[in-house]
DNA sequence: TTTTCTTAGTGTAATATTTACACTAAGAAA
DNA sequence: TTTCTTAGTGTAAATATTACACTAAGAAAA
């Protein structure tokens, strides 16, 4: 037993961590926040923001704390993704990680580097560097999950500005689903759900016809989020 | 530091467990396997089969081992459900549990009681006893997950006999979705997916018109399981 | 052997949804 | 005033969904 190790158990226990996949949308592509590691293992490699779960917090609370500590994000939507438990996923020792994904407005939040990271940056999903640990796998699963989510729940409130145009919403859907969508059919369908409120306002300073702003009908958004609705085009 | 506690760490660690929600179908209702606890806490209460995760196995491997040890089940379909990490979910100490759900053929498998359980039995989902820990919550989430699964993936292969009739398959869908389905529309839709192979064989010894047997087209089942398909009636 | 009971199996018409597709409108910049 | 760019709109054809009632087959009962 090494000196200074204060907590002892009858059976060996893995360490417990939380990792977060932070999705943002810049109007063009889906992005994910990565942090560059300061220390070994995988020193200077990019990785998901993550860290150990403390004894006085649930894994979700840990994920939210880490979002704040590592990326400066507060009050964001998160949902549990999956728990990764391969014995060798961390070369130091066994660490079981509960992964969460978060949806944030990439334009609204300035991402700030955390304490033990060199840099923290947005990376486009189609253009990812080589990642530490099994983090590529985690991101891949998160992207699939988000794709699934879009097809049965409204998505967008968390990722867009409060006011947004239909072309913006469509671009978001196309980025998540990784497929082009017919403009007219998209509008018809999304408007028929009753999710959207047309605002009395248009885009400004665009060198083409200005698009109308919409916002989500909060009540409807919540309702369809709970009971689900099928969205496919 | 108490005597005999051999594993020491710098930081406190929760224990890691796996719990399993085993779904079966008896032709009428969805059932779940519960075991009656031999020891405190919650002595003699019904609970989900579960136990600690060892250091040389993933949580999924642990869930599979526990399925065998606690219920005598081998080679069954399992999928990760959710990780439960409330600090007080176990009164003894903090135990984080990764929950899995399994789908098995309730008629084919004899359930056998495990070592430290009094009894192991099937319980109908609508008729559950009071459960230990947060296991009611886990089962509720598992049932919702299964409901969701049915609407975008084929389900039935794991729960029915290799040969089954359309009324049996329909009864399964009705049990999972908790809603009656129109017979003609169900047949039309399920047959149009190409999932089913009509066999050259009928039910025997039934006091009414014998139903035709079908089996799943394995290739199609796998394909639709991977890429998903929308099923709703 | 006939009748009864029970569940399997079948089709259609009305309605709703999905799909494919091309032009005009608005705004700034050249 | 012309050009460039993106917003916004409608329809017809095809497909999918829904609601709904009778005949067929088999064993059991009379």
């Amino acid at each position: 037993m090494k000196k200074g190790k204060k907590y002892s158990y009858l059976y060996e226990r893995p360490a417990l961590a939380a990792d977060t996949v932070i999705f943002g949308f810049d109007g063009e592509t889906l992005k994910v926040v990565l942090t560059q590691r300061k220390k070994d293992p995988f020193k200077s490699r990019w990785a998901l923001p993550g860290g150990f779960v403390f004894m006085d917090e649930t894994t979700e609370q840990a994920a939210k704390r880490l979002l704040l500590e590592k990326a400066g994000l507060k009050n964001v939507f998160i949902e549990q993704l999956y728990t990764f438990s391969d014995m060798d996923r961390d070369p130091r020792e066994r660490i079981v990680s509960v992964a969460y994904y978060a949806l944030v407005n990439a334009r609204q939040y300035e991402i700030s580097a955390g304490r033990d990271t060199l840099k923290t940056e947005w990376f486009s999903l189609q253009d990812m560097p080589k990642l530490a640990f099994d983090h590529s796998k985690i991101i891949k699963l998160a992207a699939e999950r988000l794709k699934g989510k879009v097809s049965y729940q409204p998505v967008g409130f968390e990722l867009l500005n409060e006011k947004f145009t239909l072309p913006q919403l469509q671009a978001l859907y196309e980025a998540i689903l990784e497929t082009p969508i017919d403009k007219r059919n998209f509008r018809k369908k999304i408007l028929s759900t009753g999710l959207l409120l047309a605002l009395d306002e248009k885009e400004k300073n665009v060198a083409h016809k200005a698009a109308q702003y919409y916002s989500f009908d909060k009540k409807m958004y919540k309702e369809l989020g709970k009971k689900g609705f099928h969205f496919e085009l």
Side-chain angles (χ1 to χ4, degrees), chain A:
Chain A
M1 216 183 290
K2 274 198 213 154
K3 161 175 165 249
K5 296 209 169 178
K6 295 182 294 185
Y7 297 97
S8 302
Y9 306 103
L10 206 44
Y11 299 99
E12 208 175 347
R13 298 182 174 189
L16 185 66
D19 285 302
T20 59
V21 181
I22 306 167
F23 285 113
F25 181 64
D26 66 358
E28 296 250 320
T29 62
L30 261 192
K31 307 208 153 185
V32 165
V33 174
L34 299 177
T35 63
Q36 197 173 24
R37 291 177 60 81
K38 237 184 203 163
K39 306 183 207 162
D40 265 325
F42 297 106
K43 185 172 166 179
S44 86
R45 274 275 188 91
W46 293 93
L48 292 171
F52 293 105
V53 175
F54 299 153
M55 287 303 276
D56 62 350
E57 62 184 9
T58 64
T59 52
E60 179 165 329
Q61 284 162 357
K64 285 187 169 163
R65 170 178 56 78
L66 290 159
L67 246 32
L68 182 60
E69 285 179 14
K70 304 270 173 172
L73 296 172
K74 218 173 186 168
N75 288 327
V76 301
F77 169 92
I78 76 168
E79 208 160 86
Q80 195 182 106
L81 173 64
Y82 196 78
T83 297
F84 295 84
S85 66
D86 282 0
M87 279 77 83
D88 58 357
R89 50 180 300 284
D90 190 301
R92 292 165 292 186
E93 62 165 334
R94 187 169 186 197
I95 303 183
V96 169
S97 173
V98 184
Y100 285 79
Y101 69 97
L103 303 179
V104 310
N105 184 325
R107 287 189 173 132
Q108 190 170 329
Y109 287 97
E110 271 311 299
I111 296 303
S112 53
R115 256 186 312 104
D116 45 64
T117 57
L118 286 168
K119 289 182 245 163
T120 300
E121 278 175 29
W122 287 107
F123 283 81
S124 172
L125 260 189
Q126 7 297 347
D127 195 26
M128 301 283 278
K130 206 171 185 187
L131 299 188
F133 308 107
D134 53 359
H135 289 186
S136 296
K137 202 167 105 185
I138 298 179
I139 290 175
K140 199 175 150 215
L141 188 67
E144 279 167 24
R145 181 73 64 89
L146 185 55
K147 227 182 250 193
K149 188 183 180 67
V150 148
S151 72
Y152 72 96
Q153 283 184 324
V155 163
F157 181 72
E158 301 86 1
L159 289 157
L160 297 170
N161 292 330
E162 180 145 358
K163 296 184 239 171
F164 53 87
T165 67
L166 288 185
Q168 282 165 6
L169 184 61
Q170 179 175 345
L172 171 61
Y173 270 73
E174 290 177 333
I176 293 175
L177 295 171
E178 297 180 286
T179 179
I181 301 177
D182 179 89
K183 201 199 329 185
R184 284 185 280 199
N185 294 341
F186 177 78
R187 293 175 153 259
K188 208 187 314 176
K189 181 128 188 185
I190 201 82
L191 287 171
S192 77
T193 60
L195 269 173
L196 301 181
L197 296 171
L199 302 181
D200 223 8
E201 198 185 342
K202 284 179 183 181
E203 277 183 314
K204 270 166 197 153
N205 303 316
V206 288
H208 54 77
K209 182 170 175 179
Q212 187 176 20
Y213 280 119
Y214 288 82
S215 68
F216 285 107
D217 178 330
K218 263 195 163 175
K219 203 176 140 228
M220 202 66 185
Y221 195 89
K222 225 173 152 180
E223 197 180 309
L224 291 182
K226 191 165 291 179
K227 79 162 207 230
F229 79 111
H230 184 64
F231 190 93
E232 196 185 298
L233 275 175

